[in-house]
Amino acid sequence: IMNVNSYIVPASNHILFHPTDSHDAVMRFNTAPTKGFEADVGSKTTFRLINTMVLTVPAYKFLEDPQYRTGIIIMWDPSQYKESLHKWILKPEFKFFDRFIKLRKKEPDQPFYILNPLNTWQLWDIIQENSPEKIHPDPPSSGTLGILLLMKLCDQVNVYEYLPSKRKMDQCHYFSKGLNPACSLGGYHPLIYEKNMIKKLNQGNDTDIYHYGRITLPGLNGLEC
Ligand SMILES: *[C@@H]1O[C@H](CO)[C@@H](O)[C@H](O)[C@H]1NC(C)=O
């Protein structure tokens, strides 16, 4: 599982570790590419978790770009806190239906799931319960949503550069030039609270985080509460 908020330096710098392809399944996020970054992020894609903006905004070319035709697509939309499915369907944050129908007609064989928005708020509740302060009800990041989904499906989940390694920098994404420390700690998303919670679940050690940005999480089946 490669977080889109990775702080990975380009392949021309020293590459220590590129282990993602050896996993049974790899989840990628939003517009994150593999082409040109294989040395850092591998090339396998089993799932791609996107928000509705990625499908809806034509500039992302979600219908046209071949990088989006690999793997199972899972999409979520930032609904209002705990609003009903019915209310949300009538008024999603991004009006995605036209593009969604177009894509389904164009690519009927590519699996495509839409998350029930209540799931995002159930996760938000868990983050709030595990945080010392009151959090503004903005939805959790795609990264943390993806972690939860994979913990449901897998016996073990490795996440890379979600908790940044020594390669951390202010670059928002490994594939774009934008600099903003809020990408790591959160502006819109309650990222710092999400990451503190996930760090408590880490079964790996701090050396793994420091060198490889890697954490190891148990599948929910193996978790004793
Ligand atoms: C940390 O965990 C890795 C396995 O992920 C292991 O190889 C390494 O020896 C551990 N390091 C320390 C300092 O415990």
Side-chain angles (χ1 to χ4, degrees):
I1 165 168
M2 287 298 313
N3 200 306
V4 73
N5 297 321
S6 286
Y7 299 91
I8 291 184
V9 293
S12 52
N13 294 47
H14 291 291
I15 301 311
L16 299 169
F17 201 62
H18 48 94
T20 57
D21 287 351
S22 66
H23 289 71
D24 294 336
V26 177
M27 178 178 276
R28 300 186 188 276
F29 293 87
N30 291 321
T31 62
T34 53
K35 200 159 175 262
F37 301 94
E38 291 89 345
D40 268 323
V41 306
S43 54
K44 183 168 173 173
T45 301
T46 318
F47 301 101
R48 183 176 289 273
L49 181 60
I50 63 167
N51 56 47
T52 38
M53 192 163 65
V54 173
L55 174 66
T56 311
V57 175
Y60 289 124
K61 298 196 179 333
F62 195 82
L63 272 56
E64 300 83 18
D65 191 331
Q67 82 158 349
Y68 299 123
R69 295 294 84 79
T70 307
I72 298 163
I73 307 295
I74 306 166
M75 186 178 72
W76 71 282
D77 180 74
S79 68
Q80 298 300 308
Y81 183 75
K82 300 255 173 110
E83 79 181 334
S84 72
L85 195 57
H86 181 71
K87 246 182 125 176
W88 166 73
I89 288 265
L90 293 175
K91 207 170 174 288
E93 172 100 9
F94 288 90
K95 294 194 187 77
F96 61 86
F97 294 115
D98 289 351
R99 301 263 296 170
F100 174 71
I101 291 164
K102 219 168 156 183
L103 177 64
R104 296 308 287 152
K105 284 184 176 159
K106 186 169 170 265
E107 306 289 342
D109 296 331
Q110 185 177 28
F112 194 121
Y113 295 88
I114 301 174
L115 270 190
N116 184 332
L118 272 180
N119 287 160
T120 61
W121 294 113
Q122 283 163 350
L123 173 59
W124 187 90
D125 282 348
I126 297 170
I127 298 163
Q128 176 64 87
E129 278 165 27
N130 285 281
S131 302
E133 288 131 38
K134 242 182 142 42
I135 309 173
H136 191 75
D138 288 325
S141 61
S142 296
T144 308
L145 270 175
I147 288 174
L148 185 70
L149 282 172
L150 289 180
M151 284 174 72
K152 264 186 177 164
L153 293 171
C154 305
D155 294 332
Q156 192 180 68
V157 180
N158 285 127
V159 193
Y160 293 91
E161 297 290 348
Y162 175 85
L163 301 181
S165 69
K166 62 184 175 184
R167 301 166 88 187
K168 179 186 185 306
M169 51 177 92
D170 282 347
Q171 197 174 327
C172 272
H173 302 128
Y174 61 84
F175 50 89
S176 66
K177 297 248 179 284
L179 298 182
N180 182 354
C183 291
S184 165
L185 301 177
Y188 170 63
H189 298 300
L191 267 182
I192 187 110
Y193 301 104
E194 298 173 32
K195 292 187 177 191
N196 273 328
M197 184 183 82
I198 296 296
K199 186 162 193 308
K200 287 184 207 161
L201 297 173
N202 182 26
Q203 296 179 328
N205 56 43
D206 287 349
T207 314
D208 276 351
I209 298 175
Y210 181 72
H211 286 292
Y212 311 123
R214 178 178 63 206
I215 54 175
T216 304
L217 305 171
L220 291 180
N221 281 335
L223 203 60
E224 281 179 34
C225 302

